[in-house]
Amino acid sequence: MSDAIRLPAERRHAEELEALKASDHEPVPPGWILSPRAVERFVLGTGDEAISWQDAGGQDRSTVVSKKFYGHDVLVQRAIVTLASDRGLLLIGEPGTAKSWLSEHLAAAISGDSLLTVQGSAGITEDQIKYSWNYALLLAEGPSERALVPAPLHVGMSEGKLVRFEEITRAPHEVQDTLLSALSDKVLAIPELPDDEGYVLARRGFNIIATANTRDRGVNEMSAALKRRFNFETVPPVEDLNAEIQIVRSQVTDLLEQGGHGGTVLGDEVLELLVTTFHEIRGGRTTEGVKVDRASSVMSTAEAVSVGFQAALHASFFGKGRVEPDHVALHLAGAAVKDNQTDLGVLRSYWDVAVKPRAQRELGLWKAWWQARRHLV
Ligand SMILES: Nc1ncnc2c1ncn2[C@@H]1O[C@H](COP(=O)(O)OP(=O)(O)OP(=O)(O)O)[C@@H](O)[C@H]1O
Ligand SMILES: [Mg+2]
């Protein structure tokens, strides 16, 4: 077992990718490892149906492909089509809606490599995207291919793989525009090298998946020229409460197993309290249609996963290994309120408006959830 905190998607799901490849009978776009249909199955899963395939040693195997992304199938299909076309893909949306998650899994299924990633920030420079130099060699020998240190764009273009550009709208304009010639002419110029070596022509399979968060600097900050070279795909928050419960359940279970806490129990009722609370505060309305205040902090599915995981760790370290509503409430303020005291008021008023009536009707664990209000300080 690896002691890495987190493995990239292509290693976490290596068997699934192998199974999909071995059973893939549809045309595979040049430079891709799987057909578009198989990429879709990797992202959306095969349900209860197992894939039958033969491994390299000729053994018959059977593998269920897990569901990674919960959302509209057409969104995933459109994203796959865009990546096979001559345009880049930009996934935009609220924080924590699985933009990075989707981009990682698409890159794993299409190129078998999700690690060619550039992280956009105000301080990013062109050489972190294109290439830089080994200065000792550069000084000793002058510019040469040997002295060149390729960055993700160089690798993606020369090996024909997808390059991920996270939070692209946080990068300065001129750095973003580095992508223009890569996307339109499919060439990366290296003016320091002699003419016949001074460029990389993108191999088939190369494309760019960028993500942008609507809460950070606006997507409008991208130049019109660059915008034209991307297809935009908005990733909405999970609409369906049950789907969100499933996401949190499977993610927390995975995290617990990876951390060696597989014996800790996060029961369905506690999970429902946690996810319903996030879902309703985010949507501004309860399932009964009562209006509730929205918090200014991010109450995304991703935050629900981390509160669920922390509550489970708490139960494992200091409780009896079974997550109680109190454990969840203890970690809610740190995840949701952060340093915003107004949001504490939002949480407390949610308890008055939404939790109390359910506690009075003695619904499931809602009474214990009402009592857990004392931790919201
Ligand atoms: N629709 C969804 N399907 C599957 N998982 C989801 C979904 N929405 C959120 N998640 C979970 O939320 C987590 C966070 O997602 P991710 O980090 O990709 O968000 P993001 O949209 O990139 O956020 P940010 O804008 O802050 O970078 C993922 O681990 C994923 O499990
Ligand atoms: Mg992200």
Side-chain angles (χ1 to χ4, degrees), residues 269 273 288 357-368:
E269 279 191 301
L273 297 176
E288 295 91 348
R358 290 173 186 156
Q360 284 167 342
R361 279 186 281 141
E362 311 242 336
L363 289 176
L365 287 177
W366 286 89
K367 198 160 174 194

Side-chain angles (χ1 to χ4, degrees), residues 95-96 98-101 119 164 166-167 211-213:
K99 300 178 294 299
S100 306
W101 178 255
Q119 181 63 51
R164 301 172 50 205
E166 288 287 297
E167 308 289 348
T211 63
N213 178 321

Side-chain angles (χ1 to χ4, degrees), residues 238-241 244 273-295 299 346 349-351 353-355 358 366:
V238 185
E239 283 160 35
D240 177 42
L241 182 64
E244 192 167 358
L273 297 176
L274 162 69
V275 181
T276 307
T277 301
F278 272 73
H279 200 86
E280 293 183 336
I281 296 181
R282 188 168 72 230
R285 203 165 281 283
T286 67
T287 42
E288 295 91 348
V290 180
K291 196 175 165 304
V292 294
D293 293 336
R294 284 200 167 103
M299 300 283 289
V346 169
S349 95
Y350 175 81
W351 251 254
V353 174
V355 180
R358 290 173 186 156
W366 286 89

